[in-house]
Amino acid sequence: MSDLMQLVTHALGGDTLESMSRQIGADTGSTAKAISAALPMLLGALDRNTNQAEGADALFNAVQKGHDGSILDDLAGFLGGGQFDDGNAILGHLLGGNREPVENGISRASGLDLSSVARLLPMLAPVVLGAIGKMQRQGCFDANGLSNALSGELQRVAQANPDSLSSLESLLEGNHEGQV
């Protein structure tokens, strides 16, 4: 799964980034900064959830059933549809009651206003799960293998950019003093 972040970053470039920026009412630079702050946070939340057997099974089932990676084949259609209820459901599952502090942290890290961040995250969450689904299909992971692959990916992200994950733990554990 070493290419997960690269797959997501590639999928969110160019016209996709411009489309997302228009939909949230922001410039592409601020949107890109927010995405750069949000992706490690989403990856970290997924990793935390899959550290429990039932969380790993739930993610495995989600990518098997509805997040197989096909979203990456038509991101323009997904974004143009404007229906991000699935993204909100994913965020609710991953972040629970910590969504607001995470949004605040991404806002501070990117300079993007809070309402724009709140509109951006439900767009990103299905894309990240779709990328995981695509990687899972290519690697034929079971639930445990998927959990291990996510942990490895998170370690690579942390090594490449230690600051990106420095406050993730405090945000996800409810200590809202940190910043993403």
Side-chain angles (χ1 to χ4, degrees):
M1 190 174 248
S2 63
D3 296 323
L4 177 64
M5 292 298 282
Q6 183 179 4
L7 180 63
V8 172
T9 302
H10 177 72
L12 295 174
D15 292 341
T16 302
L17 178 61
E18 290 178 24
S19 175
M20 293 172 91
S21 296
R22 278 192 305 274
Q23 287 193 38
I24 66 171
D27 64 272
T28 56
S30 296
T31 303
K33 284 178 75 174
I35 290 170
S36 292
L39 289 178
M41 179 277 309
L42 290 172
L43 182 61
L46 283 161
D47 180 60
R48 284 175 51 89
N49 283 357
T50 62
N51 286 332
Q52 307 276 333
E54 55 276 356
D57 288 339
L59 178 60
F60 180 76
N61 289 331
V63 298
Q64 290 291 315
K65 293 179 182 172
H67 298 283
D68 61 0
S70 59
I71 190 173
L72 301 177
D73 299 330
D74 187 21
L75 275 177
F78 166 68
L79 294 171
Q83 295 297 317
F84 307 114
D85 293 339
D86 189 38
N88 281 313
I90 293 166
L91 292 169
H93 178 73
L94 289 178
L95 303 176
N98 294 325
R99 182 170 174 175
E100 185 178 330
V102 167
E103 289 173 347
N104 282 319
I106 293 169
S107 177
R108 285 188 301 269
S110 66
L112 202 59
D113 68 78
L114 192 55
S115 65
S116 295
V117 171
R119 289 190 303 273
L120 178 65
L121 289 180
M123 293 179 201
L124 287 178
V127 174
V128 171
L129 280 189
I132 291 170
K134 186 172 189 171
M135 299 295 290
Q136 189 279 328
R137 278 196 343 260
Q138 292 172 347
C140 299
F141 300 118
D142 61 8
N144 188 48
L146 188 57
S147 176
N148 291 337
L150 276 170
S151 292
E153 182 73 14
L154 186 62
Q155 287 176 349
R156 283 186 286 283
V157 169
Q159 288 172 350
N161 188 2
D163 293 338
S164 69
L165 298 175
S166 63
S167 299
L168 175 66
E169 285 297 317
S170 64
L171 286 170
L172 294 178
E173 291 199 10
N175 173 0
H176 309 311
E177 296 172 2
Q179 297 179 25
V180 173

